Amino acid sequence: MKTRYSIFMLIAILLVSCATSPTGRRQLIIVSEDAAIAASKQAYTEMLKPYAAKGKIDNDPALRDRVYRITGRLIAQAIIIRPETKDWEWRIKIIDDPETVNAWAMAGGKMALYTGLV
């Protein structure tokens, strides 16, 4: 009896947790979007702290302007596709690390680009 109840509860949770993405794809949502955005905001600050302490954030004004111009156009399109994102605190930081070929994004519009990718 206890096993049946556990299986029933698991199925119920999975059904309730399913959502449809903006692209129409069904997906399992374990963490709410609001919780992911709040966690990302804190993680973003923590990840950038060591670079900021070393003065390795947004050092090249020409590159910064170029990246801001490009991401501004991308953000505008994201807002068209998902209007609720207009209220996000969109951020892009350029990390001066020519050896790292990477860029990343977090929930809520938090992004970073390493100069090694450019």
Side-chain angles (χ1 to χ4, degrees), residues 74-94:
L74 293 171
I75 292 166
Q77 292 304 307
I79 292 170
I80 289 170
I81 294 168
R82 287 193 63 204
E84 67 275 14
T85 64
K86 73 178 173 14
D87 297 327
W88 286 2
E89 295 176 28
W90 292 93
R91 298 283 182 270
I92 176 78
K93 293 294 180 184
I94 301 148

PDB file of all heavy atoms in Angstrom, residues 74-94:
ATOM      1  N   LEU A  74      20.143  41.493 -29.331  1.00  0.00           N
ATOM      2  CA  LEU A  74      19.680  40.157 -28.935  1.00  0.00           C
ATOM      3  C   LEU A  74      18.620  40.240 -27.828  1.00  0.00           C
ATOM      4  O   LEU A  74      17.610  39.532 -27.867  1.00  0.00           O
ATOM      5  CB  LEU A  74      20.851  39.303 -28.465  1.00  0.00           C
ATOM      6  CG  LEU A  74      21.869  38.923 -29.534  1.00  0.00           C
ATOM      7  CD1 LEU A  74      23.086  38.281 -28.892  1.00  0.00           C
ATOM      8  CD2 LEU A  74      21.253  38.008 -30.564  1.00  0.00           C
ATOM      9  N   ILE A  75      18.843  41.120 -26.866  1.00  0.00           N
ATOM     10  CA  ILE A  75      17.884  41.298 -25.774  1.00  0.00           C
ATOM     11  C   ILE A  75      16.551  41.806 -26.321  1.00  0.00           C
ATOM     12  O   ILE A  75      15.484  41.343 -25.905  1.00  0.00           O
ATOM     13  CB  ILE A  75      18.457  42.242 -24.696  1.00  0.00           C
ATOM     14  CG1 ILE A  75      19.623  41.564 -23.978  1.00  0.00           C
ATOM     15  CG2 ILE A  75      17.375  42.686 -23.719  1.00  0.00           C
ATOM     16  CD1 ILE A  75      20.478  42.509 -23.140  1.00  0.00           C
ATOM     17  N   ALA A  76      16.603  42.729 -27.265  1.00  0.00           N
ATOM     18  CA  ALA A  76      15.367  43.243 -27.869  1.00  0.00           C
ATOM     19  C   ALA A  76      14.563  42.107 -28.507  1.00  0.00           C
ATOM     20  O   ALA A  76      13.328  42.061 -28.386  1.00  0.00           O
ATOM     21  CB  ALA A  76      15.692  44.318 -28.901  1.00  0.00           C
ATOM     22  N   GLN A  77      15.243  41.183 -29.164  1.00  0.00           N
ATOM     23  CA  GLN A  77      14.555  40.040 -29.772  1.00  0.00           C
ATOM     24  C   GLN A  77      14.009  39.085 -28.708  1.00  0.00           C
ATOM     25  O   GLN A  77      12.917  38.546 -28.852  1.00  0.00           O
ATOM     26  CB  GLN A  77      15.485  39.298 -30.731  1.00  0.00           C
ATOM     27  CG  GLN A  77      15.841  40.089 -31.969  1.00  0.00           C
ATOM     28  CD  GLN A  77      14.612  40.534 -32.743  1.00  0.00           C
ATOM     29  OE1 GLN A  77      13.751  39.728 -33.076  1.00  0.00           O
ATOM     30  NE2 GLN A  77      14.521  41.827 -32.997  1.00  0.00           N
ATOM     31  N   ALA A  78      14.771  38.886 -27.641  1.00  0.00           N
ATOM     32  CA  ALA A  78      14.304  38.018 -26.553  1.00  0.00           C
ATOM     33  C   ALA A  78      13.022  38.576 -25.943  1.00  0.00           C
ATOM     34  O   ALA A  78      12.093  37.822 -25.633  1.00  0.00           O
ATOM     35  CB  ALA A  78      15.383  37.884 -25.480  1.00  0.00           C
ATOM     36  N   ILE A  79      12.949  39.891 -25.807  1.00  0.00           N
ATOM     37  CA  ILE A  79      11.761  40.530 -25.234  1.00  0.00           C
ATOM     38  C   ILE A  79      10.565  40.398 -26.170  1.00  0.00           C
ATOM     39  O   ILE A  79       9.430  40.223 -25.714  1.00  0.00           O
ATOM     40  CB  ILE A  79      12.064  41.994 -24.875  1.00  0.00           C
ATOM     41  CG1 ILE A  79      13.066  42.030 -23.717  1.00  0.00           C
ATOM     42  CG2 ILE A  79      10.792  42.762 -24.526  1.00  0.00           C
ATOM     43  CD1 ILE A  79      13.650  43.400 -23.416  1.00  0.00           C
ATOM     44  N   ILE A  80      10.806  40.416 -27.474  1.00  0.00           N
ATOM     45  CA  ILE A  80       9.714  40.209 -28.429  1.00  0.00           C
ATOM     46  C   ILE A  80       9.168  38.789 -28.298  1.00  0.00           C
ATOM     47  O   ILE A  80       7.961  38.569 -28.280  1.00  0.00           O
ATOM     48  CB  ILE A  80      10.192  40.483 -29.873  1.00  0.00           C
ATOM     49  CG1 ILE A  80      10.432  41.983 -30.069  1.00  0.00           C
ATOM     50  CG2 ILE A  80       9.185  39.955 -30.894  1.00  0.00           C
ATOM     51  CD1 ILE A  80      11.133  42.337 -31.360  1.00  0.00           C
ATOM     52  N   ILE A  81      10.072  37.816 -28.168  1.00  0.00           N
ATOM     53  CA  ILE A  81       9.662  36.414 -28.075  1.00  0.00           C
ATOM     54  C   ILE A  81       9.023  36.111 -26.722  1.00  0.00           C
ATOM     55  O   ILE A  81       8.033  35.387 -26.646  1.00  0.00           O
ATOM     56  CB  ILE A  81      10.871  35.485 -28.331  1.00  0.00           C
ATOM     57  CG1 ILE A  81      11.343  35.650 -29.779  1.00  0.00           C
ATOM     58  CG2 ILE A  81      10.524  34.030 -28.032  1.00  0.00           C
ATOM     59  CD1 ILE A  81      12.689  35.017 -30.070  1.00  0.00           C
ATOM     60  N   ARG A  82       9.604  36.675 -25.650  1.00  0.00           N
ATOM     61  CA  ARG A  82       9.079  36.463 -24.289  1.00  0.00           C
ATOM     62  C   ARG A  82       8.929  37.817 -23.614  1.00  0.00           C
ATOM     63  O   ARG A  82       9.822  38.281 -22.907  1.00  0.00           O
ATOM     64  CB  ARG A  82      10.032  35.585 -23.473  1.00  0.00           C
ATOM     65  CG  ARG A  82      10.017  34.139 -23.893  1.00  0.00           C
ATOM     66  CD  ARG A  82      10.709  33.240 -22.907  1.00  0.00           C
ATOM     67  NE  ARG A  82      10.033  33.258 -21.616  1.00  0.00           N
ATOM     68  CZ  ARG A  82      10.623  32.950 -20.465  1.00  0.00           C
ATOM     69  NH1 ARG A  82      11.891  32.591 -20.442  1.00  0.00           N
ATOM     70  NH2 ARG A  82       9.959  32.981 -19.338  1.00  0.00           N
ATOM     71  N   PRO A  83       7.793  38.497 -23.817  1.00  0.00           N
ATOM     72  CA  PRO A  83       7.600  39.859 -23.291  1.00  0.00           C
ATOM     73  C   PRO A  83       7.848  40.008 -21.790  1.00  0.00           C
ATOM     74  O   PRO A  83       8.258  41.076 -21.335  1.00  0.00           O
ATOM     75  CB  PRO A  83       6.141  40.167 -23.641  1.00  0.00           C
ATOM     76  CG  PRO A  83       5.830  39.282 -24.800  1.00  0.00           C
ATOM     77  CD  PRO A  83       6.640  38.030 -24.586  1.00  0.00           C
ATOM     78  N   GLU A  84       7.629  38.940 -21.011  1.00  0.00           N
ATOM     79  CA  GLU A  84       7.835  39.047 -19.566  1.00  0.00           C
ATOM     80  C   GLU A  84       9.303  39.280 -19.203  1.00  0.00           C
ATOM     81  O   GLU A  84       9.610  39.707 -18.088  1.00  0.00           O
ATOM     82  CB  GLU A  84       7.291  37.809 -18.837  1.00  0.00           C
ATOM     83  CG  GLU A  84       8.029  36.524 -19.127  1.00  0.00           C
ATOM     84  CD  GLU A  84       7.586  35.770 -20.377  1.00  0.00           C
ATOM     85  OE1 GLU A  84       6.871  36.347 -21.222  1.00  0.00           O
ATOM     86  OE2 GLU A  84       7.972  34.603 -20.512  1.00  0.00           O
ATOM     87  N   THR A  85      10.224  39.075 -20.136  1.00  0.00           N
ATOM     88  CA  THR A  85      11.647  39.280 -19.848  1.00  0.00           C
ATOM     89  C   THR A  85      12.047  40.754 -19.871  1.00  0.00           C
ATOM     90  O   THR A  85      13.174  41.075 -19.517  1.00  0.00           O
ATOM     91  CB  THR A  85      12.537  38.488 -20.827  1.00  0.00           C
ATOM     92  OG1 THR A  85      12.359  38.985 -22.151  1.00  0.00           O
ATOM     93  CG2 THR A  85      12.222  37.004 -20.779  1.00  0.00           C
ATOM     94  N   LYS A  86      11.129  41.624 -20.257  1.00  0.00           N
ATOM     95  CA  LYS A  86      11.463  43.054 -20.281  1.00  0.00           C
ATOM     96  C   LYS A  86      11.780  43.578 -18.879  1.00  0.00           C
ATOM     97  O   LYS A  86      12.500  44.549 -18.723  1.00  0.00           O
ATOM     98  CB  LYS A  86      10.352  43.873 -20.927  1.00  0.00           C
ATOM     99  CG  LYS A  86       9.109  44.031 -20.107  1.00  0.00           C
ATOM    100  CD  LYS A  86       8.090  44.891 -20.820  1.00  0.00           C
ATOM    101  CE  LYS A  86       6.757  44.979 -20.155  1.00  0.00           C
ATOM    102  NZ  LYS A  86       6.566  44.565 -18.821  1.00  0.00           N
ATOM    103  N   ASP A  87      11.273  42.899 -17.855  1.00  0.00           N
ATOM    104  CA  ASP A  87      11.510  43.318 -16.481  1.00  0.00           C
ATOM    105  C   ASP A  87      12.777  42.709 -15.871  1.00  0.00           C
ATOM    106  O   ASP A  87      13.112  43.013 -14.731  1.00  0.00           O
ATOM    107  CB  ASP A  87      10.306  42.946 -15.603  1.00  0.00           C
ATOM    108  CG  ASP A  87       9.050  43.684 -16.039  1.00  0.00           C
ATOM    109  OD1 ASP A  87       9.162  44.834 -16.511  1.00  0.00           O
ATOM    110  OD2 ASP A  87       7.953  43.110 -15.921  1.00  0.00           O
ATOM    111  N   TRP A  88      13.468  41.852 -16.608  1.00  0.00           N
ATOM    112  CA  TRP A  88      14.705  41.261 -16.108  1.00  0.00           C
ATOM    113  C   TRP A  88      15.775  42.336 -15.986  1.00  0.00           C
ATOM    114  O   TRP A  88      15.780  43.325 -16.718  1.00  0.00           O
ATOM    115  CB  TRP A  88      15.204  40.173 -17.042  1.00  0.00           C
ATOM    116  CG  TRP A  88      14.432  38.894 -17.005  1.00  0.00           C
ATOM    117  CD1 TRP A  88      13.316  38.617 -16.266  1.00  0.00           C
ATOM    118  CD2 TRP A  88      14.713  37.715 -17.756  1.00  0.00           C
ATOM    119  NE1 TRP A  88      12.899  37.330 -16.509  1.00  0.00           N
ATOM    120  CE2 TRP A  88      13.737  36.760 -17.420  1.00  0.00           C
ATOM    121  CE3 TRP A  88      15.692  37.380 -18.673  1.00  0.00           C
ATOM    122  CZ2 TRP A  88      13.721  35.482 -17.979  1.00  0.00           C
ATOM    123  CZ3 TRP A  88      15.669  36.116 -19.227  1.00  0.00           C
ATOM    124  CH2 TRP A  88      14.696  35.183 -18.873  1.00  0.00           C
ATOM    125  N   GLU A  89      16.714  42.126 -15.104  1.00  0.00           N
ATOM    126  CA  GLU A  89      17.879  43.008 -14.967  1.00  0.00           C
ATOM    127  C   GLU A  89      18.985  42.468 -15.877  1.00  0.00           C
ATOM    128  O   GLU A  89      19.931  41.824 -15.425  1.00  0.00           O
ATOM    129  CB  GLU A  89      18.345  43.037 -13.515  1.00  0.00           C
ATOM    130  CG  GLU A  89      17.338  43.639 -12.567  1.00  0.00           C
ATOM    131  CD  GLU A  89      17.795  43.551 -11.126  1.00  0.00           C
ATOM    132  OE1 GLU A  89      19.028  43.533 -10.861  1.00  0.00           O
ATOM    133  OE2 GLU A  89      16.919  43.474 -10.257  1.00  0.00           O
ATOM    134  N   TRP A  90      18.860  42.714 -17.181  1.00  0.00           N
ATOM    135  CA  TRP A  90      19.819  42.203 -18.160  1.00  0.00           C
ATOM    136  C   TRP A  90      21.200  42.774 -17.878  1.00  0.00           C
ATOM    137  O   TRP A  90      21.355  43.966 -17.660  1.00  0.00           O
ATOM    138  CB  TRP A  90      19.376  42.595 -19.567  1.00  0.00           C
ATOM    139  CG  TRP A  90      18.131  41.916 -20.023  1.00  0.00           C
ATOM    140  CD1 TRP A  90      16.848  42.378 -19.907  1.00  0.00           C
ATOM    141  CD2 TRP A  90      18.032  40.652 -20.691  1.00  0.00           C
ATOM    142  NE1 TRP A  90      15.969  41.482 -20.448  1.00  0.00           N
ATOM    143  CE2 TRP A  90      16.666  40.409 -20.939  1.00  0.00           C
ATOM    144  CE3 TRP A  90      18.966  39.701 -21.085  1.00  0.00           C
ATOM    145  CZ2 TRP A  90      16.214  39.261 -21.573  1.00  0.00           C
ATOM    146  CZ3 TRP A  90      18.514  38.562 -21.723  1.00  0.00           C
ATOM    147  CH2 TRP A  90      17.155  38.348 -21.958  1.00  0.00           C
ATOM    148  N   ARG A  91      22.233  41.915 -17.901  1.00  0.00           N
ATOM    149  CA  ARG A  91      23.617  42.327 -17.678  1.00  0.00           C
ATOM    150  C   ARG A  91      24.552  41.501 -18.551  1.00  0.00           C
ATOM    151  O   ARG A  91      24.366  40.312 -18.713  1.00  0.00           O
ATOM    152  CB  ARG A  91      24.042  42.106 -16.222  1.00  0.00           C
ATOM    153  CG  ARG A  91      23.272  42.874 -15.197  1.00  0.00           C
ATOM    154  CD  ARG A  91      23.725  44.353 -15.156  1.00  0.00           C
ATOM    155  NE  ARG A  91      23.013  45.068 -14.120  1.00  0.00           N
ATOM    156  CZ  ARG A  91      21.852  45.690 -14.308  1.00  0.00           C
ATOM    157  NH1 ARG A  91      21.275  45.689 -15.465  1.00  0.00           N
ATOM    158  NH2 ARG A  91      21.278  46.342 -13.324  1.00  0.00           N
ATOM    159  N   ILE A  92      25.572  42.179 -19.081  1.00  0.00           N
ATOM    160  CA  ILE A  92      26.660  41.488 -19.776  1.00  0.00           C
ATOM    161  C   ILE A  92      27.961  42.100 -19.277  1.00  0.00           C
ATOM    162  O   ILE A  92      28.090  43.317 -19.210  1.00  0.00           O
ATOM    163  CB  ILE A  92      26.550  41.596 -21.327  1.00  0.00           C
ATOM    164  CG1 ILE A  92      27.739  40.947 -22.024  1.00  0.00           C
ATOM    165  CG2 ILE A  92      26.407  43.028 -21.786  1.00  0.00           C
ATOM    166  CD1 ILE A  92      27.712  39.476 -22.100  1.00  0.00           C
ATOM    167  N   LYS A  93      28.871  41.254 -18.865  1.00  0.00           N
ATOM    168  CA  LYS A  93      30.190  41.703 -18.430  1.00  0.00           C
ATOM    169  C   LYS A  93      31.237  41.020 -19.297  1.00  0.00           C
ATOM    170  O   LYS A  93      31.104  39.850 -19.644  1.00  0.00           O
ATOM    171  CB  LYS A  93      30.446  41.359 -16.961  1.00  0.00           C
ATOM    172  CG  LYS A  93      29.557  42.112 -15.999  1.00  0.00           C
ATOM    173  CD  LYS A  93      29.858  43.589 -16.030  1.00  0.00           C
ATOM    174  CE  LYS A  93      28.959  44.346 -15.075  1.00  0.00           C
ATOM    175  NZ  LYS A  93      29.171  45.789 -15.169  1.00  0.00           N
ATOM    176  N   ILE A  94      32.269  41.780 -19.639  1.00  0.00           N
ATOM    177  CA  ILE A  94      33.364  41.246 -20.438  1.00  0.00           C
ATOM    178  C   ILE A  94      34.541  41.009 -19.494  1.00  0.00           C
ATOM    179  O   ILE A  94      35.026  41.938 -18.847  1.00  0.00           O
ATOM    180  CB  ILE A  94      33.745  42.207 -21.567  1.00  0.00           C
ATOM    181  CG1 ILE A  94      32.527  42.438 -22.454  1.00  0.00           C
ATOM    182  CG2 ILE A  94      34.914  41.657 -22.371  1.00  0.00           C
ATOM    183  CD1 ILE A  94      32.468  43.787 -23.058  1.00  0.00           C
TER     184      ILE A  94
END
